């Protein structure tokens, strides 16, 4: 049987459209306008978190009309000592962040553990302030509370992909957000 038009298969799982492309773009535009108003005189530096946030960062950045900069960071995991388990370290920071208004751009905040790690490590660079813009947020999944300044969409605690988000590396190219179909 052919798949319905709004469904796709990625590797071994089926997904259906949950946030269409036009809705994403409209919301990204709104967030851009808010940031233009809020940070007009702050010369912000945006920090896109790779890989997932590349598409959101690119679309949002095009909406920014105030003086600003952008750079991209990655969280690298490596095995720590037996007591600490996996350690995650931010790599790619070669800009001066001291006394800057930093806007972290994330694809999704799920448990909040990743973002908490990022914000803690960024604090060490003594920025003036750290703001967070995330396209998606799963409030029901929260394990660590992190202040979110701009949220695109609050979504249920279900696995999603597309628009930069992946399933095992695939699906990032999809222009809309898809949700896993549970069977
Ligand atoms: P957290 O540390 O649990 O908040 O998870 C953050 C990271 O997990 C995100 O930056 C994503 O890379 C990944 N992630 C969390 N939920 C999803 C999802 O539903 N689809 C794809 N990736 C996800
Ligand atoms: Mg991510």
């Amino acid at each position: 049987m052919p798949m319905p038009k709004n469904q796709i298969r990625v590797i071994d799982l089926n997904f259906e459209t949950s946030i269409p492309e036009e809705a994403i773009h409209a919301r990204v535009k709104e967030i851009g306008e808010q940031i233009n108003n809020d940070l007009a005189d702050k010369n912000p530096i945006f920090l896109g978190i790779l890989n997932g946030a590349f598409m959101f960062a690119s679309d949002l950045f095009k909406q920014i009309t105030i003086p600003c900069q952008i750079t991209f960071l990655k969280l690298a995991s490596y095995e720590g000592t037996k007591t600490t388990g996996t350690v995650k370290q931010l790599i790619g920071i070669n800009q001066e962040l001291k006394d800057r208004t930093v806007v972290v751009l994330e694809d999704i905040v799920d448990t909040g553990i990743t973002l908490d790690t990022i914000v803690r490590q960024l604090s060490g660079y003594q920025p003036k302030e750290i703001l967070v813009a995330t396209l998606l947020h799963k409030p029901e999944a929260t394990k660590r509370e992190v202040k979110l300044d701009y949220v695109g969409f609050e979504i249920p605690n279900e696995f999603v992909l597309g628009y930069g988000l992946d399933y095992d590396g695939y699906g990032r190219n999809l222009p809309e957000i898809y949700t896993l179909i549970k069977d």
Side-chain angles (χ1 to χ4, degrees):
M1 210 173 70
M3 296 203 87
K5 213 168 132 254
N6 63 336
Q7 294 190 10
I8 48 148
R9 188 168 178 84
V10 177
I11 310 178
D12 56 345
L13 297 175
N14 294 332
F15 294 82
E16 65 189 351
T17 312
S18 56
I19 312 178
E21 198 176 354
E22 310 76 57
I24 297 172
H25 288 155
R27 188 70 187 114
V28 168
K29 191 162 184 281
E30 282 176 359
I31 293 173
E33 283 162 5
Q34 259 179 289
I35 290 176
N36 288 331
N37 284 325
D38 295 350
L39 307 182
D41 50 2
K42 297 213 167 168
N43 184 28
I45 179 161
F46 292 88
L47 299 185
I49 308 301
L50 297 174
N51 295 322
F54 79 95
M55 209 175 276
F56 174 50
S58 167
D59 283 348
L60 180 64
F61 200 56
K62 283 180 273 184
Q63 301 297 329
I64 304 301
T65 53
I66 59 175
C68 62
Q69 296 174 314
I70 191 167
T71 188
F72 291 87
L73 306 178
K74 203 167 176 126
L75 261 189
S77 303
Y78 58 92
E79 291 303 312
T81 64
K82 282 201 179 82
T83 48
T84 53
T86 306
V87 181
K88 284 190 164 181
Q89 197 188 0
L90 265 185
I91 56 171
I93 305 178
N94 41 27
Q95 243 96 349
E96 182 68 76
L97 300 181
K98 195 170 187 308
D99 299 325
R100 294 294 302 271
T101 291
V102 167
V103 185
V104 176
L105 302 180
E106 255 293 28
D107 50 356
I108 187 165
V109 178
D110 185 8
T111 63
I113 291 170
T114 303
L115 185 59
D116 185 61
T117 304
I118 291 168
V119 169
R120 279 169 200 273
Q121 291 194 27
L122 286 177
S123 302
Y125 293 82
Q126 297 175 278
K128 183 171 157 205
E129 58 185 333
I130 301 172
L131 303 175
V132 176
T134 184
L135 179 71
L136 303 173
H137 179 213
K138 296 181 185 172
E140 295 157 21
T142 306
K143 288 195 179 137
R144 297 236 193 108
E145 291 286 351
V146 186
K147 178 178 67 84
L148 302 177
D149 300 277
Y150 306 96
V151 176
F153 301 93
E154 293 202 336
I155 61 167
N157 193 6
E158 290 165 358
F159 190 78
V160 293
L161 95 171
Y163 197 73
L165 291 126
D166 71 303
Y167 167 45
D168 220 4
Y170 290 89
R172 296 192 195 275
N173 51 314
L174 298 165
E176 51 280 284
I177 305 278
Y178 287 81
T179 301
L180 179 66
I181 300 171
K182 282 170 275 178
D183 39 28

